[in-house]
Amino acid sequence: MEIYRNSVQDLEFRFYRNRVLTDVDAIPTVSLKLNGVNLPSKTVSHLNTGIYTVPLLYADTFEEGEVTAEWTFIYDGVTTSKTEYHKVVTPYVDLNYLYELDAGDDDIRWAEVFSRKQIDKYTAQSFGLHKDWIKSPGNGSQYLILPERIVTVTHIYENDTEIWGNVANDYDIGITRSAFALQANGDTFATFKEGVSYEVWGEFGYKHVPEDVADCARMLVDDYLCKDKAWKEKYVKKLSNGDWSVEFDGRVFSGTGNSIVDAILSDYVWHRMIVI
């Protein structure tokens, strides 16, 4: 299950016996972690037969990553634990816009997933924000090309030896204008050595979803929900009245499916050779 970053959502625990929802002996307890860090304890509620919920608050979903829920319950006198994993993601569409749409919950959820995945696929990057270790090989130049856009850098390791972060040296390393590479600016450390593995810990992605990307996501959500607009901005080459013969441009399958969205996102399509 995906959880939206900076949102309030309920996690559900369901217990089945022979494919039938069944109550356990007592209300379960749950231990929650976000990216391995314990979250404050929560009270579990009995929603319906075999269904139990626990609330996640804004403070519990403040960053992308993984929420681990370890449920402990008793059935037929036997105590059992079950661990479930949930991914915290950044929606590209404002949640206020999503929740006010005249559509069912499942349709809205799939429309958001569709828009986000289409944008990620087309641009070859993500517009959320997450902390991670990223590895990249040096190429003998002053630039270390990264597979993701970097926002902040905290630690850099060179072949398992820390060279930036908790060490004292005169290295001058910064983030390039494109944010898809690090740049060595000093004399003491002037190049990222060829054949050497570098590992970077920092924040990757975007501090906030760019407005034009959010606009594109809204258009794709509308495309998903408005089935009667099948030809709108769909690279239609030929449309005949009568027998309704429709011909689509092949680009409808290589892009997001929306020509306007593709044009707007073209500036965000990431090419690995662009580093500054």
Side-chain angles (χ1 to χ4, degrees):
M1 171 183 171
E2 287 189 337
I3 300 166
Y4 291 143
R5 184 162 67 100
N6 295 328
S7 71
V8 175
Q9 293 182 240
D10 288 340
L11 288 186
E12 283 190 0
F13 172 74
R14 294 176 175 240
F15 183 81
Y16 290 89
R17 178 177 179 178
N18 296 330
R19 299 179 63 185
V20 177
L21 284 167
T22 306
D23 281 343
V24 294
D25 295 357
I27 294 179
T29 60
V30 64
S31 175
L32 299 170
K33 293 182 179 180
L34 174 61
N35 295 327
V37 178
N38 289 323
L39 295 176
S41 60
K42 301 285 192 300
T43 300
V44 178
S45 300
H46 186 202
L47 181 66
N48 211 327
T49 301
I51 304 176
Y52 304 86
T53 65
V54 64
L56 288 179
L57 307 179
Y58 281 95
D60 303 322
T61 62
F62 69 95
E63 67 180 14
E64 287 189 353
E66 185 178 74
V67 168
T68 305
E70 184 178 359
W71 296 89
T72 301
F73 59 95
I74 303 172
Y75 184 70
D76 277 351
V78 178
T79 301
T80 308
S81 292
K82 179 185 179 183
T83 302
E84 297 179 340
Y85 303 90
H86 308 276
K87 187 176 182 181
V88 180
V89 300
T90 299
Y92 299 165
V93 183
D94 184 88
L95 292 180
N96 292 325
Y97 178 84
L98 279 179
Y99 295 158
E100 292 172 5
L101 290 173
D102 184 18
D105 290 345
D106 284 344
D107 285 338
I108 289 175
R109 181 171 66 89
W110 284 114
E112 188 283 321
V113 171
F114 168 79
S115 69
R116 176 161 40 90
K117 297 295 186 181
Q118 287 291 87
I119 290 173
D120 287 353
K121 180 191 70 172
Y122 182 67
T123 62
Q125 60 168 311
S126 171
F127 295 91
L129 183 68
H130 66 100
K131 297 177 182 178
D132 208 348
W133 285 103
I134 296 294
K135 286 186 177 181
S136 185
N139 59 9
S141 77
Q142 70 179 122
Y143 300 109
L144 180 69
I145 302 173
L146 301 173
E148 296 184 48
R149 184 180 186 273
I150 190 166
V151 177
T152 60
V153 55
T154 308
H155 301 282
I156 303 174
Y157 279 76
E158 181 183 81
N159 279 352
D160 299 326
T161 300
E162 187 173 21
I163 62 172
W164 177 274
N166 295 327
V167 293
N169 55 39
D170 296 327
Y171 292 179
D172 183 4
I173 302 174
I175 298 173
T176 63
R177 184 173 57 182
S178 75
F180 279 98
L182 297 181
Q183 182 176 0
N185 299 307
D187 296 329
T188 306
F189 184 82
T191 61
F192 292 93
K193 303 171 187 175
E194 186 171 4
V196 171
S197 176
Y198 292 90
E199 193 167 7
V200 180
W201 169 261
E203 289 183 303
F204 294 87
Y206 290 77
K207 288 185 177 180
H208 60 87
V209 179
E211 186 60 31
D212 46 358
V213 174
D215 289 340
C216 289
R218 285 192 291 271
M219 282 189 274
L220 291 175
V221 164
D222 291 342
D223 282 353
Y224 184 91
L225 295 175
C226 299
K227 305 301 184 183
D228 58 334
K229 297 181 181 178
W231 353 102
K232 184 182 179 183
E233 321 303 350
K234 297 297 186 184
Y235 295 115
V236 175
K237 291 174 62 179
K238 180 181 179 182
L239 179 63
S240 301
N241 203 345
D243 291 336
W244 287 103
S245 174
V246 179
E247 182 180 354
F248 292 95
D249 189 296
R251 289 175 296 171
V252 71
F253 303 108
S254 60
T256 65
N258 185 310
S259 60
I260 293 178
V261 169
D262 288 354
I264 295 173
L265 292 179
S266 61
D267 289 340
Y268 291 95
V269 175
W270 180 61
H271 301 287
R272 188 171 175 81
M273 295 306 296
I274 301 176
V275 297
I276 55 176

